[in-house]
Amino acid sequence: MSRLVMRFADWTLTTDPHGGPPIYATECTTCAEVSSASNDKADPEIWCLRHAGRTGHTGFRATTMTFFRASLAENTR
Ligand SMILES: [Zn+2]
Protein backbone atom coordinates (compact mmCIF):
# COMPACT_ATOMS: atom_id res chain seq x y z
CA MET A 1 0.00 0.00 0.00
CA SER A 2 1.32 3.45 -0.91
CA ARG A 3 0.93 6.46 1.23
CA LEU A 4 1.30 10.08 0.19
CA VAL A 5 1.91 12.79 2.76
CA MET A 6 1.61 16.38 1.61
CA ARG A 7 2.51 19.34 3.76
CA PHE A 8 1.42 22.84 2.96
CA ALA A 9 3.19 25.92 4.16
CA ASP A 10 2.87 29.65 3.57
CA TRP A 11 5.73 31.18 1.68
CA THR A 12 6.49 34.82 1.09
CA LEU A 13 8.57 36.40 -1.62
CA THR A 14 10.70 39.46 -0.90
CA THR A 15 13.49 41.33 -2.62
CA ASP A 16 16.76 39.50 -2.01
CA PRO A 17 19.03 41.84 0.02
CA HIS A 18 22.05 39.94 -1.32
CA GLY A 19 20.86 40.00 -4.94
CA GLY A 20 22.19 43.44 -5.75
CA PRO A 21 20.44 46.34 -7.46
CA PRO A 22 18.18 45.86 -10.52
CA ILE A 23 19.92 45.28 -13.84
CA TYR A 24 18.53 47.03 -16.91
CA ALA A 25 18.99 46.13 -20.58
CA THR A 26 17.26 46.74 -23.91
CA GLU A 27 17.01 44.87 -27.19
CA CYS A 28 16.14 46.14 -30.64
CA THR A 29 12.97 44.40 -31.89
CA THR A 30 14.07 44.85 -35.51
CA CYS A 31 17.60 43.40 -35.53
CA ALA A 32 17.88 41.85 -32.02
CA GLU A 33 21.04 43.82 -31.18
CA VAL A 34 21.27 44.24 -27.41
CA SER A 35 22.58 46.97 -25.16
CA SER A 36 25.00 46.31 -22.35
CA ALA A 37 23.43 45.47 -19.02
CA SER A 38 23.66 48.27 -16.47
CA ASN A 39 22.57 49.17 -12.96
CA ASP A 40 21.78 52.64 -14.34
CA LYS A 41 18.50 52.65 -16.27
CA ALA A 42 19.69 55.62 -18.36
CA ASP A 43 22.50 53.61 -20.03
CA PRO A 44 20.27 51.25 -22.05
CA GLU A 45 17.86 54.11 -22.79
CA ILE A 46 20.68 56.15 -24.30
CA TRP A 47 21.76 53.06 -26.24
CA CYS A 48 18.24 52.92 -27.78
CA LEU A 49 18.50 56.52 -28.95
CA ARG A 50 21.96 55.99 -30.42
CA HIS A 51 20.83 52.74 -32.08
CA ALA A 52 17.79 54.51 -33.57
CA GLY A 53 20.01 57.29 -34.90
CA ARG A 54 22.49 54.83 -36.39
CA THR A 55 20.06 52.27 -37.88
CA GLY A 56 16.61 53.88 -38.11
CA HIS A 57 15.22 51.03 -35.96
CA THR A 58 12.62 52.41 -33.57
CA GLY A 59 11.26 49.45 -31.55
CA PHE A 60 12.91 48.19 -28.36
CA ARG A 61 12.24 45.66 -25.63
CA ALA A 62 13.37 46.63 -22.16
CA THR A 63 14.09 44.10 -19.44
CA THR A 64 14.70 44.64 -15.75
CA MET A 65 16.24 41.83 -13.75
CA THR A 66 15.60 41.81 -10.04
CA PHE A 67 16.29 39.17 -7.42
CA PHE A 68 13.82 37.63 -5.00
CA ARG A 69 14.13 35.36 -2.02
CA ALA A 70 11.40 32.94 -0.94
CA SER A 71 11.08 32.23 2.76
CA LEU A 72 8.64 30.48 5.02
CA ALA A 73 6.11 32.86 6.51
CA GLU A 74 5.90 32.93 10.26
CA ASN A 75 2.84 31.13 11.50
CA THR A 76 0.62 33.72 13.20
CA ARG A 77 -2.17 31.29 14.12
ZN1 LIG B 1 18.23 47.36 -34.57
Side-chain angles (χ1 to χ4, degrees):
M1 173 184 273
S2 298
R3 184 169 175 225
L4 176 64
V5 177
M6 298 182 73
R7 293 180 56 201
F8 295 93
D10 292 330
W11 287 81
T12 59
L13 198 62
T14 56
T15 302
D16 188 346
H18 305 292
I23 300 170
Y24 304 96
T26 53
E27 176 183 1
C28 175
T29 57
T30 302
C31 71
E33 190 173 327
V34 295
S35 72
S36 323
S38 175
N39 295 125
D40 186 349
K41 189 176 160 189
D43 292 340
E45 290 178 352
I46 291 169
W47 178 88
C48 291
L49 297 175
R50 288 188 174 141
H51 187 80
R54 182 167 49 85
T55 64
H57 301 162
T58 57
F60 300 93
R61 177 180 314 127
T63 57
T64 304
M65 184 187 315
T66 56
F67 301 90
F68 295 107
R69 178 71 54 180
S71 58
L72 280 168
E74 290 190 27
N75 190 349
T76 56
R77 287 182 235 167

PDB file of all heavy atoms in Angstrom, residues 28-33 47 51 55 57 59-60, ligand 1:
ATOM      1  N   CYS A  28      16.837  45.632 -29.463  1.00  0.00           N
ATOM      2  CA  CYS A  28      16.139  46.145 -30.641  1.00  0.00           C
ATOM      3  C   CYS A  28      15.199  45.055 -31.150  1.00  0.00           C
ATOM      4  O   CYS A  28      15.595  43.905 -31.309  1.00  0.00           O
ATOM      5  CB  CYS A  28      17.155  46.519 -31.717  1.00  0.00           C
ATOM      6  SG  CYS A  28      16.389  47.040 -33.262  1.00  0.00           S
ATOM      7  N   THR A  29      13.928  45.399 -31.404  1.00  0.00           N
ATOM      8  CA  THR A  29      12.971  44.404 -31.888  1.00  0.00           C
ATOM      9  C   THR A  29      13.062  44.207 -33.399  1.00  0.00           C
ATOM     10  O   THR A  29      12.413  43.320 -33.938  1.00  0.00           O
ATOM     11  CB  THR A  29      11.529  44.798 -31.509  1.00  0.00           C
ATOM     12  OG1 THR A  29      11.255  46.091 -32.052  1.00  0.00           O
ATOM     13  CG2 THR A  29      11.341  44.814 -30.006  1.00  0.00           C
ATOM     14  N   THR A  30      13.899  45.009 -34.064  1.00  0.00           N
ATOM     15  CA  THR A  30      14.074  44.847 -35.515  1.00  0.00           C
ATOM     16  C   THR A  30      15.257  43.935 -35.830  1.00  0.00           C
ATOM     17  O   THR A  30      15.144  43.010 -36.616  1.00  0.00           O
ATOM     18  CB  THR A  30      14.291  46.219 -36.186  1.00  0.00           C
ATOM     19  OG1 THR A  30      13.174  47.052 -35.886  1.00  0.00           O
ATOM     20  CG2 THR A  30      14.451  46.079 -37.687  1.00  0.00           C
ATOM     21  N   CYS A  31      16.404  44.171 -35.182  1.00  0.00           N
ATOM     22  CA  CYS A  31      17.602  43.404 -35.527  1.00  0.00           C
ATOM     23  C   CYS A  31      18.135  42.570 -34.362  1.00  0.00           C
ATOM     24  O   CYS A  31      19.121  41.855 -34.526  1.00  0.00           O
ATOM     25  CB  CYS A  31      18.697  44.341 -36.028  1.00  0.00           C
ATOM     26  SG  CYS A  31      19.445  45.380 -34.750  1.00  0.00           S
ATOM     27  N   ALA A  32      17.508  42.649 -33.204  1.00  0.00           N
ATOM     28  CA  ALA A  32      17.877  41.853 -32.025  1.00  0.00           C
ATOM     29  C   ALA A  32      19.226  42.235 -31.423  1.00  0.00           C
ATOM     30  O   ALA A  32      19.741  41.524 -30.566  1.00  0.00           O
ATOM     31  CB  ALA A  32      17.827  40.354 -32.305  1.00  0.00           C
ATOM     32  N   GLU A  33      19.820  43.349 -31.846  1.00  0.00           N
ATOM     33  CA  GLU A  33      21.044  43.819 -31.183  1.00  0.00           C
ATOM     34  C   GLU A  33      20.680  44.225 -29.758  1.00  0.00           C
ATOM     35  O   GLU A  33      19.589  44.746 -29.514  1.00  0.00           O
ATOM     36  CB  GLU A  33      21.637  45.010 -31.948  1.00  0.00           C
ATOM     37  CG  GLU A  33      23.022  45.397 -31.478  1.00  0.00           C
ATOM     38  CD  GLU A  33      23.663  46.464 -32.365  1.00  0.00           C
ATOM     39  OE1 GLU A  33      23.400  46.479 -33.576  1.00  0.00           O
ATOM     40  OE2 GLU A  33      24.402  47.288 -31.816  1.00  0.00           O
ATOM     41  N   TRP A  47      21.400  54.002 -25.170  1.00  0.00           N
ATOM     42  CA  TRP A  47      21.764  53.059 -26.240  1.00  0.00           C
ATOM     43  C   TRP A  47      20.651  52.991 -27.282  1.00  0.00           C
ATOM     44  O   TRP A  47      20.920  52.978 -28.480  1.00  0.00           O
ATOM     45  CB  TRP A  47      22.039  51.676 -25.643  1.00  0.00           C
ATOM     46  CG  TRP A  47      22.376  50.671 -26.689  1.00  0.00           C
ATOM     47  CD1 TRP A  47      23.605  50.389 -27.202  1.00  0.00           C
ATOM     48  CD2 TRP A  47      21.447  49.822 -27.387  1.00  0.00           C
ATOM     49  NE1 TRP A  47      23.506  49.414 -28.173  1.00  0.00           N
ATOM     50  CE2 TRP A  47      22.191  49.052 -28.307  1.00  0.00           C
ATOM     51  CE3 TRP A  47      20.062  49.641 -27.323  1.00  0.00           C
ATOM     52  CZ2 TRP A  47      21.595  48.121 -29.153  1.00  0.00           C
ATOM     53  CZ3 TRP A  47      19.472  48.722 -28.174  1.00  0.00           C
ATOM     54  CH2 TRP A  47      20.230  47.969 -29.073  1.00  0.00           C
ATOM     55  N   HIS A  51      21.129  53.799 -31.112  1.00  0.00           N
ATOM     56  CA  HIS A  51      20.827  52.741 -32.079  1.00  0.00           C
ATOM     57  C   HIS A  51      19.819  53.238 -33.100  1.00  0.00           C
ATOM     58  O   HIS A  51      19.969  52.981 -34.305  1.00  0.00           O
ATOM     59  CB  HIS A  51      20.301  51.507 -31.341  1.00  0.00           C
ATOM     60  CG  HIS A  51      20.119  50.309 -32.217  1.00  0.00           C
ATOM     61  ND1 HIS A  51      21.160  49.498 -32.598  1.00  0.00           N
ATOM     62  CD2 HIS A  51      18.995  49.799 -32.797  1.00  0.00           C
ATOM     63  CE1 HIS A  51      20.700  48.522 -33.377  1.00  0.00           C
ATOM     64  NE2 HIS A  51      19.392  48.682 -33.510  1.00  0.00           N
ATOM     65  N   THR A  55      20.675  53.289 -37.021  1.00  0.00           N
ATOM     66  CA  THR A  55      20.058  52.271 -37.882  1.00  0.00           C
ATOM     67  C   THR A  55      18.680  52.645 -38.411  1.00  0.00           C
ATOM     68  O   THR A  55      18.205  52.038 -39.366  1.00  0.00           O
ATOM     69  CB  THR A  55      19.891  50.952 -37.094  1.00  0.00           C
ATOM     70  OG1 THR A  55      18.976  51.186 -36.013  1.00  0.00           O
ATOM     71  CG2 THR A  55      21.230  50.453 -36.560  1.00  0.00           C
ATOM     72  N   HIS A  57      16.111  51.959 -36.673  1.00  0.00           N
ATOM     73  CA  HIS A  57      15.216  51.032 -35.964  1.00  0.00           C
ATOM     74  C   HIS A  57      14.598  51.765 -34.772  1.00  0.00           C
ATOM     75  O   HIS A  57      15.305  52.442 -34.030  1.00  0.00           O
ATOM     76  CB  HIS A  57      15.990  49.805 -35.470  1.00  0.00           C
ATOM     77  CG  HIS A  57      16.647  49.037 -36.578  1.00  0.00           C
ATOM     78  ND1 HIS A  57      17.670  48.138 -36.366  1.00  0.00           N
ATOM     79  CD2 HIS A  57      16.410  49.049 -37.925  1.00  0.00           C
ATOM     80  CE1 HIS A  57      18.036  47.620 -37.533  1.00  0.00           C
ATOM     81  NE2 HIS A  57      17.295  48.168 -38.492  1.00  0.00           N
ATOM     82  N   GLY A  59      11.931  50.265 -32.553  1.00  0.00           N
ATOM     83  CA  GLY A  59      11.257  49.446 -31.546  1.00  0.00           C
ATOM     84  C   GLY A  59      12.267  48.767 -30.632  1.00  0.00           C
ATOM     85  O   GLY A  59      13.273  48.235 -31.083  1.00  0.00           O
ATOM     86  N   PHE A  60      11.978  48.771 -29.338  1.00  0.00           N
ATOM     87  CA  PHE A  60      12.907  48.188 -28.357  1.00  0.00           C
ATOM     88  C   PHE A  60      12.146  47.436 -27.280  1.00  0.00           C
ATOM     89  O   PHE A  60      11.026  47.806 -26.929  1.00  0.00           O
ATOM     90  CB  PHE A  60      13.770  49.283 -27.711  1.00  0.00           C
ATOM     91  CG  PHE A  60      14.588  50.037 -28.721  1.00  0.00           C
ATOM     92  CD1 PHE A  60      14.108  51.219 -29.283  1.00  0.00           C
ATOM     93  CD2 PHE A  60      15.813  49.553 -29.136  1.00  0.00           C
ATOM     94  CE1 PHE A  60      14.843  51.896 -30.241  1.00  0.00           C
ATOM     95  CE2 PHE A  60      16.553  50.224 -30.093  1.00  0.00           C
ATOM     96  CZ  PHE A  60      16.067  51.405 -30.649  1.00  0.00           C
TER      97      PHE A  60
HETATM   98 ZN    ZN B   1      18.232  47.358 -34.572  1.00  0.00          ZN
END
